[in-house]
Amino acid sequence: MDDAPAIRAALRGLLEDAGFTVVGEAGDGDQGVAMAARLAPDFVVMDLRMPGVGGLEATGRITAAGHGTRVLVFSAFDGPARERAALAAGASAFLAKGCRPELVIETLRALTGWTG
């Protein structure tokens, strides 16, 4: 989930190139929470700053729903305090948007146990 279409497109390409199946994209927190409830994906990549429900609240709602969906918070707004807040909200991992693209794939594979 990210409000920037270009970021969503780049993530989709990265994930699909690594063998993941992308089942949906959301541009705001409300839409993302609804999609996660309906689709029950293995994981969600979540931005912190989004219109409507923000990333922390959306993360909490998704993980509390009980579908087993894991959340990777992927944000330009990084730092120890934001990472702690994301993990406290239920995220399984936190990465800064400036990280190596391979780190996103490595993290998602570790979260899901998928080796593709």
Side-chain angles (χ1 to χ4, degrees), residues 9-31:
L11 275 171
R12 175 182 280 277
L14 177 69
L15 296 172
E16 289 176 343
D17 287 350
F20 289 101
T21 300
V22 177
V23 297
E25 296 180 21
D28 65 54
D30 291 312
Q31 181 185 32

Side-chain angles (χ1 to χ4, degrees), residues 57-84:
E57 185 174 343
T59 295
R61 290 183 187 181
I62 290 168
T63 57
H67 299 293
T69 301
R70 295 182 171 239
V71 177
L72 164 61
V73 171
F74 187 59
S75 179
F77 303 96
D78 62 345
R82 288 201 169 93
E83 182 173 358
R84 283 191 302 275

